[in-house]
Amino acid sequence: MAETTPSFTVTINDGAKGAAPAPPVPEPASKAMTWTNGKQTVKYTTTAELLPLHTDDGELIGHMFALSYVSDEKDKTDRPVTFCWNGGPGGSSAMVNIGGLGPRRVPINSLRQLPCPTAPEDNPYSLLPTTDLVYLDAMGTGYSQVAKDYDPKKVWGVDGDADAFMRGIAQWLTAHERWNTPLYLYGESYGTMRNSVLMRVLGERGIALTGVIEQSSILDYAPTLAGNDLYYMGMLPVYAATANYFGKAGAGVDQFAWFDKAWKFVDEKYGRALIASDSITPAEEHELAVEMSELIGLPAEFIEKRHLRIELDTFRKNIMADEGLFCGRYDTRFTEPAYMDVQGDNEFFAGEDPSGDAIMTPDQSAWMKLVQETGFKGSSINMLLSMKVNEEWNWTHQAPGTMGSPVCPNTAYDMGTALRRNPFCRVLFFGGIHDAATPFWNVKHSISKMFMPASITDRIEYKVHENGHMAYEDLPTLEKMIPELEAFYAKRHEA
């Protein structure tokens, strides 16, 4: 349910013994630029820099890479700053930048694979007219580096990562003289879990947030555990939307109506059947399998043999099998020619994703070119997704109000705590009906079981669109998201 596949990694020899001393830290570099969408123009400065991070005792943690887009307008009293990142864990912030909401973007090519090289253009859907944007790379990803004598495992984990980002934000605010300004966070995938912890940590350090945007969210990792019923419940509406898209189910029915129908089935029938497990009768199981078949487009007997539990890879391999195709994980509408099953291919197949293949390499190349244009002298190696960071991640986390530190974190508690402490902070959740990496049903469930009062839930909004995991790579979704985001930022002026 997060970006944990082994694809799209620039491979280097991380941490080889006897390696040469780290090169000098590159100097910050800036370039004056102009953005326009044909109707509006914004003059801004792009700055690439490595921010030094220190512990409270002054020990160097390392340097966090920041790529900032700051408006040249002089009065920034009410000008928001939004800190943005992707997830992984182990992902840099390049995708949500050049692929998404930054002032420059790689043009979207519908649901087809993008060519490389590409010709980046001014992004008509950028958030720059509304807010300054700061893209921070997690430690050990992108250009961010952990100090040679600092244990990276201290920052490669749920709590250490949030602490590092807190320090990166504070350092940027100090260096750019932007304290006491409206502050927002924008996270995608694991970045939404980071946001949840960071909301609390920032508040505890006296840094108040105005708003948090959660795109393709995961707050509770319990559904990722083998056999967890919440996994199947969250996936089923995505399966239904995908089957509807490919004409395998719900012919002629609106895609959102079909998604909602599946959602209702999960809430009213499917969840109860999964909990009952072998307590339901064969007749009941058959009846549910038939109803599931109508929703998700797989044969009832196929579903029944699996006792109503359909794994994502099983669905991806079978929904388009009659056409010799398999579908994506990040965005289930993307397809590629199917592989022939061979012994031991499950792990390989899980990492194969047509929707990732379509965009990640072109986006990475264009992002590297953008940084070069600022004059920043970074390394030739940039970790778009570091599997070393991902695989060594420390998942232990003690949520507020709970005992112990389980290795399956639920950060909805952190968000709830932060919102109780800060009555002015708002949260906006974006989800996609074709996102099989972080199903939208699960985040709604995570928040609902917090049983928070209306004074808090009234400050939480949910928006669901037709996109997959990378909402900004879907043009119809972008056209809807931007006015929704503008309205969300405007609410900072409300009591």
Side-chain angles (χ1 to χ4, degrees):
M1 294 181 56
E3 299 166 17
T4 56
T5 61
S7 299
F8 325 121
T9 307
V10 178
T11 303
I12 63 173
N13 185 9
D14 262 344
K17 293 183 179 180
V25 176
E27 292 293 322
S30 298
K31 182 179 181 180
M33 305 184 79
T34 301
W35 169 91
T36 183
N37 62 0
K39 300 177 181 178
Q40 188 177 4
T41 298
V42 177
K43 292 185 180 298
Y44 66 100
T45 299
T46 300
T47 301
E49 61 189 319
L50 285 165
L51 303 169
L53 307 187
H54 294 89
T55 67
D56 291 349
D57 296 328
E59 182 183 5
L60 180 65
I61 297 170
H63 291 83
M64 178 174 279
F65 181 73
L67 188 60
S68 313
Y69 306 103
V70 177
S71 166
D72 291 345
E73 65 182 68
K74 291 184 178 180
D75 184 5
K76 294 186 174 64
T77 306
D78 188 46
R79 173 83 174 166
V81 175
T82 303
F83 293 91
C84 312
W85 35 74
N86 286 89
S92 75
S93 62
M95 292 293 297
V96 77
N97 183 347
I98 195 74
L101 302 172
R104 302 278 291 170
R105 70 162 185 173
V106 172
I108 295 171
N109 193 17
S110 185
L111 294 176
R112 298 185 301 276
Q113 186 146 342
L114 290 169
C116 191
T118 61
E121 63 182 14
D122 275 0
N123 181 5
Y125 304 101
S126 177
L127 277 175
L128 186 64
T130 301
T131 174
D132 291 336
L133 298 164
V134 183
Y135 293 85
L136 298 177
D137 288 346
M139 300 305 288
T141 78
Y143 285 133
S144 295
Q145 295 293 328
V146 180
K148 184 179 179 181
D149 297 326
Y150 195 82
D151 182 0
K153 292 183 180 179
K154 291 182 179 180
V155 292
W156 293 349
V158 177
D159 293 322
D161 172 80
D163 181 77
F165 272 90
M166 176 274 293
R167 296 175 193 279
I169 290 171
Q171 183 65 30
W172 190 94
L173 293 173
T174 299
H176 293 264
E177 300 181 350
R178 292 296 295 275
W179 285 93
N180 199 32
T181 197
L183 297 181
Y184 290 78
L185 308 180
Y186 192 115
E188 177 189 24
S189 195
Y190 180 83
T192 64
M193 177 169 278
R194 173 182 296 136
N195 281 354
S196 301
V197 182
L198 196 49
M199 289 171 68
R200 176 181 58 79
V201 172
L202 285 169
E204 291 170 353
R205 291 299 185 114
I207 304 174
L209 291 171
T210 308
V212 177
I213 300 150
E214 302 277 74
Q215 180 206 303
S216 307
S217 307
I218 178 168
L219 304 183
D220 180 6
Y221 256 66
T224 68
L225 298 177
N228 191 292
D229 292 334
L230 294 174
Y231 169 89
Y232 304 105
M233 295 165 72
M235 285 295 180
L236 193 133
V238 180
Y239 296 162
T242 307
N244 176 266
Y245 176 80
F246 288 119
K248 307 294 183 181
V253 180
D254 174 77
Q255 58 182 337
F256 295 105
W258 197 250
F259 181 78
D260 290 344
K261 182 177 181 179
W263 191 299
K264 184 177 181 181
F265 173 74
V266 170
D267 287 349
E268 296 180 357
K269 297 181 180 180
Y270 187 51
R272 297 180 184 186
L274 292 179
I275 293 170
S277 298
D278 67 359
S279 297
I280 63 174
T281 66
E284 290 172 324
E285 186 173 66
H286 174 75
E287 182 179 342
L288 286 165
V290 170
E291 192 166 354
M292 275 184 67
S293 176
E294 293 173 353
L295 285 169
I296 70 173
L298 296 179
E301 58 272 20
F302 182 90
I303 297 170
E304 194 170 357
K305 285 180 180 178
R306 288 158 179 79
H307 299 292
L308 313 179
R309 290 157 168 82
I310 303 298
E311 303 291 336
L312 174 58
D313 287 346
T314 300
F315 181 83
R316 293 174 59 215
K317 284 184 177 182
N318 286 278
I319 190 63
M320 297 291 287
D322 58 344
E323 299 179 40
L325 303 170
F326 73 99
C327 71
R329 172 176 174 263
Y330 287 128
D331 190 326
T332 56
R333 296 171 297 177
F334 284 78
T335 61
E336 283 181 2
Y339 289 92
M340 177 180 175
D341 283 346
V342 294
Q343 184 178 0
D345 80 334
N346 288 343
E347 184 176 352
F348 171 79
F349 179 79
E352 287 295 288
D353 194 335
S355 52
D357 293 338
I359 60 176
M360 287 195 172
T361 297
D363 280 359
Q364 169 80 341
S365 178
W367 183 89
M368 293 284 281
K369 177 65 173 176
L370 174 66
V371 175
Q372 279 184 329
E373 290 176 359
T374 68
F376 183 76
K377 303 300 182 184
S379 166
S380 60
I381 300 298
N382 184 278
M383 300 298 288
L384 181 63
L385 175 58
S386 168
M387 290 311 298
K388 180 177 178 63
V389 174
N390 186 287
E391 291 165 359
E392 296 189 13
W393 201 255
N394 179 2
W395 292 99
T396 58
H397 173 67
Q398 183 173 351
T402 66
M403 299 294 290
S405 299
V407 294
C408 186
N410 183 350
T411 62
Y413 292 99
D414 296 84
M415 178 178 286
T417 298
L419 289 172
R420 285 177 172 88
R421 293 171 174 173
N422 180 354
F424 302 103
C425 184
R426 297 177 180 273
V427 179
L428 173 58
F429 285 102
F430 281 113
I433 65 175
H434 293 108
D435 178 7
T438 55
F440 195 56
W441 184 92
N442 290 102
V443 74
K444 287 288 295 283
H445 178 257
S446 294
I447 294 297
S448 67
K449 67 180 182 180
M450 293 294 102
F451 295 98
M452 293 183 289
S455 61
I456 293 176
T457 57
D458 287 349
R459 291 182 275 130
I460 302 175
E461 302 176 46
Y462 301 92
K463 305 291 184 182
V464 63
H465 299 301
E466 57 263 59
N467 54 279
H469 196 63
M470 284 77 83
Y472 41 77
E473 296 288 354
D474 185 88
L475 188 56
T477 296
L478 267 178
E479 292 172 346
K480 297 169 186 172
M481 282 179 66
I482 293 307
E484 291 168 347
L485 284 164
E486 290 171 347
F488 180 71
Y489 279 89
K491 289 178 181 178
R492 71 184 183 276
H493 300 124
E494 297 179 7

